[in-house]
């Protein structure tokens, strides 16, 4: 597929902020709620929200098989709940995860007092020298990853962003900052050498 159209899975959660980022970058984007809409896309963002709910709605909307096919050839980015959904293994059996990337994820793993927190981090894989603001909201933890997975950034020894060939995962919410650099990386740099 030559032209870029970013799909944003819009079943529940923080999807509209991802669309704003695509618009800021001047990239075509659509909300995805049906298999037909998914087929129009070159890229897909699975947003943060509630992974148990999104997983039920994926099934309800008949999207599961289409998503599996999509992830074989095209680019997928799971943020927060989205990272839980694309994982191979999840600590909570109520999530019907999709298994696109060899990671083991624990839901709500940062404990109650720090359910939400922010951190600043220099991420060498994105352009520019400025630190990126990382926003964690009842975030999952990436506990294990296989050889096919490259960590791209960590906080206190925990990997918070990683990828394999075509799947990107982050446990934080780049769409809630004013910084479009990770969106830009996902949309135009996933095919560059890691
Ligand atoms: N705690 C949520 C879940 O487990 C994820 C939170 C988020 O996406 N901000 O689904």
């Amino acid at each position: 597929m030559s032209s870029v159209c970013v799909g944003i899975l819009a079943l529940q959660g923080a999807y509209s902020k991802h669309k704003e980022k695509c618009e800021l970058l001047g990239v075509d984007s659509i909300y995805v709620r049906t298999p037909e809409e998914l087929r129009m896309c070159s890229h897909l963002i699975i947003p943060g929200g509630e992974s148990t709910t999104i997983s039920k709605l994926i099934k309800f909307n008949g999207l599961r098989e289409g998503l599996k096919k999509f992830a074989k050839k095209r680019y997928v980015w799971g943020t927060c709940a989205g990272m839980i959904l694309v994982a191979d293994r999840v600590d909570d059996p109520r999530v019907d995860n999709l298994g696109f990337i060899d990671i083991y994820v624990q839901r709500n793993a940062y404990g109650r007092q720090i359910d939400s927190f922010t951190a600043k981090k220099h991420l060498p894989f994105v352009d520019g020298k400025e630190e990126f603001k990382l926003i964690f909201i009842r975030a999952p933890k990436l506990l294990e990853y296989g050889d096919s997975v490259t960590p791209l950034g960590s906080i206190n020894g925990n990997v918070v962003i990683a990828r394999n060939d075509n799947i990107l995962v982050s446990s934080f919410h780049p769409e809630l900052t004013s910084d479009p650099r990770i969106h830009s990386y996902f949309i135009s740099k996933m095919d560059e050498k890691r």
Side-chain angles (χ1 to χ4, degrees), residues 12-159:
Q12 189 264 337
Y15 51 83
S16 61
K17 293 284 175 190
H18 283 291
K19 196 151 196 321
E20 285 172 24
K21 284 281 172 297
C22 293
E23 282 162 12
L24 186 74
L25 292 168
V27 172
D28 285 342
S29 61
I30 59 167
Y31 287 135
V32 170
R33 299 187 178 95
T34 65
E36 293 70 36
E37 287 162 345
L38 181 61
R39 279 197 285 274
M40 294 164 63
C41 303
S42 56
H43 294 61
L44 180 74
I45 298 175
I46 304 184
E50 202 53 46
S51 53
T52 47
T53 306
I54 299 175
S55 102
K56 281 190 194 122
L57 292 172
I58 285 174
K59 216 173 192 176
F60 187 76
N61 286 35
L63 277 163
R64 209 174 152 81
E65 284 321 302
L67 284 169
K68 289 200 166 192
K69 258 193 210 155
F70 188 93
K72 289 204 173 107
K73 299 186 286 214
R74 300 187 191 164
Y75 298 107
V76 181
W77 176 16
T79 57
C80 206
M83 164 166 128
I84 299 168
L85 286 159
V86 299
D88 253 357
R89 286 155 288 139
V90 176
D91 72 328
D92 186 338
R94 289 173 299 170
V95 180
D96 208 358
N97 46 309
L98 294 157
F100 296 164
I101 179 167
D102 186 7
I103 56 174
Y104 175 44
V105 173
Q106 182 186 5
R107 295 183 65 213
N108 303 324
Y110 287 89
R112 282 200 161 207
Q113 296 91 318
I114 48 168
D115 274 352
S116 303
F117 63 98
T118 61
K120 288 246 177 180
K121 178 82 186 171
H122 177 57
L123 297 173
F125 72 98
V126 296
D127 297 330
K129 290 201 174 69
E130 269 170 56
E131 287 183 313
F132 204 94
K133 184 177 176 195
L134 311 179
I135 302 177
F136 295 87
I137 304 169
R138 299 177 62 233
K141 229 179 227 180
L142 198 162
L143 297 181
E144 290 168 14
Y145 58 90
D147 292 343
S148 57
V149 177
T150 305
L152 297 172
S154 36
I155 295 281
N156 304 327
N158 296 307
V159 175

